[in-house]
């Protein structure tokens, strides 16, 4: 193998640049040329492909986002899109690919592998919703960003003796909400995977205020409902002075944490080693602090399982 390509696809996640750097420099250290592909699979089809050098990835480790840019390109699910992408790979002499992204990105990586271009998928998404990995690239940074914002919100909540209902990202996965809820001392955490009672949450908040607490924090994962919708329901069970906050896309930005930089670097280097061994159609993960791989096709019939013990623990800690 003489030449590989790298692309980032789907939503951006802090640490993607660190992963690209690790892929590029590991490949170069083994005498393999590396080409970056801008705008994900859309850029692949368009031929927006350029050579990477050690210098071109020299200052990206600490940067958020992705300097390769990203885009969603559902057309790549169709044969025509795949064949046009393969035409560009052949034109540039690229023999294998590293794809950094989420579920949709993995479909593209598997399609290319089936057509003779080994591809390895790296889990780049803040949602932490990929099966067979304890952590995804960007998750820790998103949690750190959200926790920092909630710490600031608590200051004003306490000053005015208010309840804040705060929406965090995660699509249909509650991992960010659980991690951030515990870290920020939330009174309640609401996620889509587990049942909840708004009435019980209201009772808990009323009891907390009666016991002298001067504020309330409720973390709601975006896959449940909006913070405005939740507050409307909450007010049916209590006359709270309350506000809502949507943290939104700020959770995708910012410098990646040390944990994300190291995770992305380990996964990127490992992806190159797998390609050098002639392997493809694999998703890289980390389980019990050990790098692992699973067939990408197996991920599509599986579901990520979060650490739901955090909910019960937080319920005890927030009394």
């Amino acid at each position: 193998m003489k030449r590989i390509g790298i692309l980032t696809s789907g939503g951006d996640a802090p640490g993607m640049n660190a992963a690209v750097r690790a892929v590029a420099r590991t490949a170069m250290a083994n005498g393999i040329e590396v080409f970056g592909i801008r705008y994900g699979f859309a850029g692949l089809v368009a031929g927006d492909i350029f050579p990477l050098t050690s210098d071109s990835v020299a200052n990206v480790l600490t940067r958020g986002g992705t300097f390769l840019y990203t885009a969603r390109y559902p057309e790549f699910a169709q044969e025509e899109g795949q064949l046009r992408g393969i035409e560009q790979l052949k034109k540039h002499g690229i023999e294998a690919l590293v794809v950094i992204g989420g579920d949709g990105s993995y479909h593209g990586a598997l399609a290319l592998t089936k057509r003779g271009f080994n591809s390895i998928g790296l889990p780049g998404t803040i949602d932490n919703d990929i099966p067979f990995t304890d952590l995804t690239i960007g998750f820790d940074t998103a949690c750190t960003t959200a926790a920092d914002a909630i710490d600031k919100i608590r200051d004003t909540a306490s000053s005015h003796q208010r309840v804040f209902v705060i929406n965090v990202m995660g699509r249909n996965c509650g991992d960010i909400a659980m991690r951030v809820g515990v870290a920020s001392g939330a009174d309640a955490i609401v996620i889509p995977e587990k049942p909840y009672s708004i009435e019980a949450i209201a009772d808990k908040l009323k009891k907390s205020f009666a016991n002298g607490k001067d504020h309330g924090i409720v973390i709601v994962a975006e896959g449940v409902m909006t913070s405005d919708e939740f507050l409307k329901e909450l007010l049916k069970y209590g006359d709270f002075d309350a506000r809502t906050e949507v943290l939104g896309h700020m959770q995708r930005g910012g410098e990646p944490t040390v944990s994300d930089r190291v995770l992305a670097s380990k996964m990127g280097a490992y992806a190159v080693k797998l390609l050098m061994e002639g392997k493809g159609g694999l998703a890289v993960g980390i389980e019990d602090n050990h790098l692992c791989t699973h067939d990408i096709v197996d991920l599509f019939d599986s579901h990520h399982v979060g650490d739901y013990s955090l909910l019960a623990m937080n319920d005890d800690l927030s009394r």
Side-chain angles (χ1 to χ4, degrees), residues 149-161 164 215 217:
I150 294 166
D151 287 346
K152 292 176 172 62
I153 290 169
R154 179 184 291 101
D155 291 342
T156 191
S158 179
S159 297
H160 295 272
Q161 295 187 309
F164 268 82
H215 70 281
I217 299 290

Side-chain angles (χ1 to χ4, degrees), residues 12-319:
D12 61 300
M16 281 184 163
N17 286 329
V20 172
R21 172 182 177 271
V23 170
R25 288 196 166 173
T26 302
M28 293 172 196
N30 287 277
I32 300 170
E33 291 183 279
V34 186
F35 277 64
I37 302 168
R38 297 187 182 95
Y39 302 107
F41 291 107
L44 172 60
V45 171
D48 195 348
I49 301 170
F50 66 104
L52 290 176
T53 65
S54 183
D55 286 344
S56 66
V57 296
N59 298 308
V60 302
L61 177 66
T62 62
R63 287 169 51 188
T66 165
F67 79 95
L68 293 180
Y69 307 114
T70 183
R72 301 189 189 279
Y73 190 67
E75 293 88 343
F76 203 77
Q78 307 302 317
E79 181 180 27
E80 180 182 356
Q82 295 167 17
L83 293 177
R84 289 173 62 192
I86 288 173
E87 182 180 337
Q88 292 292 345
L89 291 174
K90 291 179 177 178
K91 177 180 176 180
H92 290 84
I94 296 172
E95 303 163 71
L97 205 63
V98 176
V99 175
I100 308 168
D103 180 74
S105 306
Y106 282 5
H107 278 86
L110 181 60
L112 289 173
T113 300
K114 288 181 176 179
R115 293 184 181 276
F117 288 83
N118 279 344
S119 299
I120 300 295
L122 300 186
T125 168
I126 68 167
D127 299 332
N128 208 48
D129 59 351
I130 303 295
F132 306 127
T133 185
D134 296 334
L135 298 168
T136 58
I137 297 168
F139 173 64
D140 185 69
T141 305
C143 289
T144 300
T145 299
D148 180 66
I150 294 166
D151 287 346
K152 292 176 172 62
I153 290 169
R154 179 184 291 101
D155 291 342
T156 191
S158 179
S159 297
H160 295 272
Q161 295 187 309
R162 284 176 178 156
V163 171
F164 268 82
V165 177
I166 304 170
N167 250 146
V168 297
M169 296 182 78
R171 294 197 300 176
N172 293 315
C173 177
D175 280 25
I176 292 178
M178 290 190 293
R179 183 71 66 92
V180 169
V182 171
S184 61
D187 295 275
I189 302 168
V190 186
I191 64 173
E193 298 97 323
K194 294 295 181 179
Y196 59 91
S197 168
I198 296 180
E199 183 176 7
I201 293 172
D203 289 342
K204 183 177 183 180
L205 289 168
K206 286 185 281 189
K207 184 178 293 186
S208 294
F209 278 110
N211 289 335
K213 192 171 183 181
D214 61 6
H215 70 281
I217 299 290
V218 179
I219 307 298
V220 180
E222 66 178 348
V224 177
M225 63 179 77
T226 69
S227 51
D228 286 339
E229 291 169 336
F230 190 92
L231 179 56
K232 183 178 179 181
E233 293 300 312
L234 183 69
L235 292 177
K236 293 179 181 179
Y237 302 102
D239 184 21
F240 302 106
D241 180 5
R243 300 290 189 274
T244 63
E245 192 71 47
V246 180
L247 299 188
H249 287 79
M250 66 177 292
Q251 293 160 92
R252 284 189 181 173
E255 296 181 354
T257 60
V258 170
S259 293
D260 269 328
R261 295 179 200 184
V262 173
L263 177 67
S265 297
K266 290 170 67 174
M267 287 184 167
Y270 189 41
V272 175
K273 299 293 177 62
L274 293 170
L275 290 177
M276 291 173 62
E277 294 170 2
K279 296 178 180 178
L282 298 175
V284 173
I286 188 163
E287 296 177 293
D288 297 325
N289 206 34
H290 294 286
L291 290 172
C292 61
T293 61
H294 289 270
D295 290 334
I296 289 178
V297 68
D298 292 340
L299 273 65
F300 303 145
D301 295 322
S302 302
H303 297 281
H304 167 75
V305 179
D307 182 6
Y308 303 122
S309 67
L310 293 176
L311 292 175
M313 183 184 74
N314 190 72
D315 191 49
D316 289 338
L317 296 179
S318 60
R319 292 184 185 278

